[in-house]
Amino acid sequence: MALLELDDLTVTLNTTRGPAKAVRGVSFALDRGATLGVVGESGSGKSMTALAILGLLPEGARATGQVRFDGRDLLTLDEAGLCRVRGDRIGVVFQEPMTALNPLHSVGRQVAETLVLHRGMSAGASRKEAIRLLDRVGIPDAARRIDAFPHQFSGGQRQRVTIAIALACGPDLLIADEPTTALDVTIQRQILDLIASLVEEDRMALLMISHDLGVIAENVERMLVMYGGALVEEGPTSELFAKPSHPYTQGLFGARPSLGAGRGTKLKTIKGTVPELVDMPPGCPFAGRCPLTIAACNAALPAPVELGLAHQARCIRLDVALRAP
Amino acid sequence: MSAPLLDLDHVVKHYALPREGLWAAPRRVMALAGVSLSVSAGRSLGLVGESGSGKSTLARIGMGLEAPSSGLARFEGQELASLSAEGLKRLRRDFQMVFQDPYGSLDPRRTVGWIVAEPLWRQSLGRSERQAAVAEVLGSVGLRSADAGKYPHEFSGGQRQRIAIARALITKPRLIVADEPVSALDVSVQAQVLNLLEDLQRDFGITYLLISHDLAVVDHVCDLVAVMYRGRIVEEGSPTDLFQGPAHPYTRALIAAMPKPIPGRRRALRKAVNGNGTAPSGSERGCPYADRCPHARERCRSEAPPLREVDGGRRAACHFAEEVMVLPSPA
């Protein structure tokens, strides 16, 4: 049985212009110890999916479908039940380490809090464990720095602290939502390496969300591409990079400047912009921006088409898309 | 070769930190430690480096927004610090700036037409002339002239960045300083803005000083790249030379740290760069990168390497640049 299984997850938000679907029927499964990446632009629903798994959706949002974690549907749990899962079985690392940490509490206290809450540890024991965790995520001189406050740490070190908090209870699943977007490249490399080695050592499952194809390529075995709330393509990372098939995925790969491509080469652009959620086309969300759009694209969200070993894309014009250079 | 458009000569900039004790002298941070750089007309220079390396300070000094603590900043031979406030204002028509965040840099209560026309206030133009100028410049960034009556919130991030670029273009500047112009944008929109920057350079001969932490963006847009580390330029040269055979270990580290879209590559590379690139507060002996450098030797800790010519038009500040250059590619 998969550790995490999403079945037809749909999230509806109340916007000023009426209800809009931020996530449209997303289904996927993540096994114990496996790694999965989600790529997409802003508004693609990738973060909303993570928040739905965690039961942290914004006020007024409604989630339907199923989010089974270890056999239990998280969408049916009440707040108390969710609190027992979050931070204990599922750890989270968010994008902004400064806003994820409380500026008024020492980092040691914030790491220990999880242990006291979920493990019922005493103050002394949790402090000792917090030092061990901070040391493990590479905070130098952890025993002395444990009483320091978040503002006394650099951005990279703060992200290490949030990782220590996420790891405190030895979760089965680590969700990392753009964990390095706010950091410098060299620091980003350190943090990604840290996450990768911790995931490996603890045999955790990893759900990594990023807009950066490079980050996804290097860190996960399988990947999902989201656009306009829908899963447009999924497959093993190497397969998907070798043969991006959905026109959106192809556009995304072509739009990224790559080192060594040289000056003067025109980047391929995807025309237009991501429509607002309320204005999403009723059928394929990419219809209209897609160069291959035909009338049938607007009829319904295309069904997934099998392209190879566990590699599938939702597009009715794949025959044409795959012939494109 | 004509005289450089913007020329920085041994520019040093200190900032005073808040006093820690009542009688203690305030500590200082050295944001720029003697930077010399020149940008020729019609070419683009990219500045790369981590946060705190002095990129933005350098841009601010180049724009005459701040005076250097010592050294000279010249625009077309005119020293910026010696100009009167009035003279500087007149000169500013020739250089404009585009900022990172298109949400924060546009006044939400003004129409796009007003925002784009604002730099023209100093020129006594009539209403219709101004409107014509706005329409023209909106057209050149791919917006419609009817968009002038709308407000910034009606546009997406990429469109807002176009508005910011239109505002910079309206005075027909010769130099545009773009501070992380695409890092707040989505990938598919980034490509549109980068292509636009290139088209504008081709059509109007604009010179760019492009600040970015993304090496691929700089590689795509610039003719020349300068890599900064702790307030110094550590390497300078054409992007092809620099990214294919970096001569400074820090450039190597930056390239190696970039996530590459090659599945499964990470396992092969586990040696990350330690420490960070922020400016130190005191002066120090030796190479500022020595404590992070995997190739550091005795000489690096005792003697600071000067920025020197290493090979056909390329400069690097490393004692062992020749050895570093021939190392296998970090990518």
Side-chain angles (χ1 to χ4, degrees):
Chain A
M1 185 180 60
L3 176 69
L4 176 72
E5 217 174 337
L6 266 65
D7 189 13
D8 199 26
L9 174 72
T10 300
V11 176
T12 315
L13 296 178
N14 276 323
T15 67
T16 45
R17 294 171 52 203
K21 282 182 181 164
V23 179
R24 296 169 65 182
V26 165
S27 308
F28 65 82
L30 177 60
D31 287 329
R32 243 166 233 286
T35 55
L36 180 71
V38 186
V39 263
E41 300 177 87
S42 45
S44 65
K46 55 190 194 313
S47 292
M48 243 356 132
T49 306
L51 293 179
I53 296 170
L54 293 161
L56 293 174
L57 286 171
E59 196 91 2
R62 261 178 315 111
T64 58
Q66 284 199 326
V67 176
R68 279 190 304 276
F69 179 75
D70 223 359
R72 261 187 310 175
D73 186 359
L74 295 184
L75 293 184
T76 61
L77 286 186
D78 58 0
E79 188 58 26
L82 278 171
C83 282
R84 276 194 294 276
V85 177
R86 279 195 303 245
D88 185 4
R89 310 284 314 281
I90 305 180
V92 202
V93 179
F94 290 107
Q95 174 174 348
E96 274 286 344
M98 198 59 217
T99 45
L101 293 173
N102 187 333
L104 299 178
H105 294 295
S106 71
V107 298
R109 188 167 161 187
Q110 298 187 55
V111 179
E113 183 190 12
T114 328
L115 296 161
V116 174
L117 218 63
H118 293 290
R119 294 281 178 271
M121 278 192 187
S122 66
S126 65
R127 186 181 164 88
K128 232 164 136 187
E129 179 65 7
I131 294 175
R132 192 189 68 80
L133 285 162
L134 288 174
D135 187 54
R136 186 164 177 224
V137 296
I139 297 286
D141 208 358
R144 207 170 47 83
R145 298 276 273 158
I146 186 168
D147 293 317
F149 288 84
H151 73 268
Q152 294 168 303
F153 290 86
S154 67
Q157 284 184 325
R158 275 181 220 145
Q159 199 59 299
R160 287 176 192 270
V161 174
T162 64
I163 293 172
I165 296 173
L167 289 179
C169 294
D172 298 312
L173 170 64
L174 180 67
I175 297 181
D177 187 355
E178 304 268 11
T180 56
T181 307
L183 306 173
D184 277 325
V185 247
T186 53
I187 311 295
Q188 161 166 301
R189 162 73 48 198
Q190 295 169 14
I191 297 294
L192 290 175
D193 283 350
L194 174 68
I195 292 177
S197 60
L198 293 170
V199 162
E200 222 172 67
E201 283 163 30
D202 290 6
R203 315 276 311 128
M204 270 183 286
L206 172 70
L207 181 65
M208 166 94 77
I209 294 168
S210 180
H211 68 283
D212 189 331
L213 287 169
V215 169
I216 293 291
E218 294 183 0
N219 290 284
V220 297
E221 303 147 358
R222 275 181 67 73
M223 66 185 278
L224 314 173
V225 182
M226 285 188 76
Y227 182 83
L231 249 180
V232 295
E233 188 165 352
E234 66 170 295
T237 312
S238 50
E239 277 271 324
L240 221 138
F241 271 78
K243 199 173 95 180
S245 305
H246 194 280
Y248 173 69
T249 318
Q250 293 176 344
L252 201 61
F253 278 59
R256 193 179 184 279
S258 60
L259 208 54
R263 193 159 143 53
T265 47
K266 271 266 176 238
L267 292 173
K268 291 202 191 72
T269 58
I270 302 175
K271 70 168 183 183
T273 52
V274 186
E276 277 186 52
L277 286 178
V278 207
D279 303 325
M280 266 314 156
C284 172
F286 196 48
R289 289 186 81 189
C290 176
L292 306 176
T293 312
I294 52 171
C297 294
N298 279 311
L301 185 64
V305 177
E306 205 67 43
L307 289 159
L309 198 63
H311 179 189
Q312 43 184 242
R314 283 178 184 268
C315 178
I316 54 171
R317 305 218 61 203
L318 278 176
D319 50 331
V320 190
L322 286 174
R323 260 187 277 125
Chain B
M1 185 98 158
S2 55
L5 195 64
L6 180 68
D7 181 31
L8 302 179
D9 191 9
H10 292 97
V11 168
V12 175
K13 181 71 188 176
H14 302 288
Y15 289 106
L17 290 175
R19 233 171 243 281
E20 278 178 344
L22 194 50
W23 284 278
R27 287 192 303 145
R28 293 196 305 178
V29 341
M30 176 106 87
L32 291 178
V35 169
S36 300
L37 191 71
S38 63
V39 192
S40 322
R43 315 254 292 165
S44 344
L45 174 76
L47 278 181
V48 231
E50 291 168 273
S51 38
S53 61
K55 301 175 301 219
S56 295
T57 306
L58 186 68
R60 292 176 64 79
I61 288 176
M63 295 270 90
L65 292 170
E66 260 180 90
S69 306
S70 75
L72 298 176
R74 284 182 293 245
F75 185 81
E76 291 207 299
Q78 287 195 68
E79 198 196 325
L80 292 175
S82 70
L83 289 171
S84 64
E86 188 56 29
L88 194 59
K89 273 184 186 166
R90 214 171 307 123
L91 200 61
R92 282 223 174 101
R93 186 183 303 173
D94 284 334
F95 44 85
Q96 291 285 335
M97 204 156 173
V98 176
F99 297 93
Q100 173 174 3
D101 179 8
Y103 293 84
S105 64
L106 304 178
D107 185 343
R109 292 175 304 171
R110 299 288 188 182
T111 62
V112 168
W114 194 95
I115 291 170
V116 171
E118 193 179 4
L120 293 181
W121 278 109
R122 287 189 45 81
Q123 303 170 21
S124 38
L125 292 179
R127 190 186 160 83
S128 58
E129 281 174 284
R130 205 158 45 224
Q131 277 174 347
V134 168
E136 188 196 329
V137 82
L138 285 178
S140 58
V141 298
L143 294 171
R144 291 187 307 262
S145 51
D147 289 333
K150 294 188 188 166
Y151 288 87
H153 74 262
E154 298 176 66
F155 295 89
S156 67
Q159 287 172 318
R160 286 183 208 213
Q161 201 59 302
R162 285 168 190 268
I163 296 169
I165 293 170
R167 171 175 61 186
L169 279 177
I170 200 160
T171 58
K172 303 203 165 42
R174 291 195 292 159
L175 174 69
I176 289 185
V177 172
D179 193 349
E180 302 274 10
V182 296
S183 57
L185 305 177
D186 276 321
V187 185
S188 73
V189 182
Q190 267 187 21
Q192 295 171 4
V193 173
L194 290 176
N195 283 344
L196 172 67
L197 289 176
E198 285 197 285
D199 292 344
L200 293 172
Q201 178 162 53
R202 192 191 56 225
D203 297 345
F204 303 110
I206 298 169
T207 307
Y208 292 119
L209 179 59
L210 182 88
I211 299 174
S212 181
H213 68 278
D214 189 334
L215 304 180
V217 166
V218 168
D219 183 32
H220 193 78
V221 179
C222 298
D223 303 293
L224 198 67
V225 183
V227 181
M228 294 194 66
Y229 182 74
R230 294 195 181 174
R232 292 171 179 81
I233 291 179
V234 295
E235 187 168 359
E236 191 194 319
S238 82
T240 323
D241 286 350
L242 224 77
F243 295 143
Q244 278 170 10
H248 196 283
Y250 179 62
T251 317
R252 274 185 76 79
L254 278 184
I255 297 169
M258 256 182 85
K260 314 275 182 316
I262 306 164
R265 193 187 69 105
R266 181 176 48 77
R267 290 278 81 90
L269 266 156
R270 261 298 176 73
K271 270 218 288 207
V273 194
N274 303 312
N276 58 60
T278 44
S281 34
S283 63
E284 47 190 35
R285 271 177 37 188
C287 174
Y289 188 60
D291 51 337
R292 290 169 79 183
C293 183
H295 312 284
R297 295 172 213 176
E298 209 38 54
R299 187 175 165 204
C300 301
R301 296 184 212 289
S302 55
E303 186 190 333
L307 188 61
R308 64 194 168 90
E309 189 105 349
V310 287
D311 138 58
R314 182 143 58 129
R315 299 193 293 163
C318 177
H319 292 306
F320 306 104
E322 282 77 8
E323 286 171 47
V324 176
M325 266 165 72
V326 295
L327 290 172
S329 163

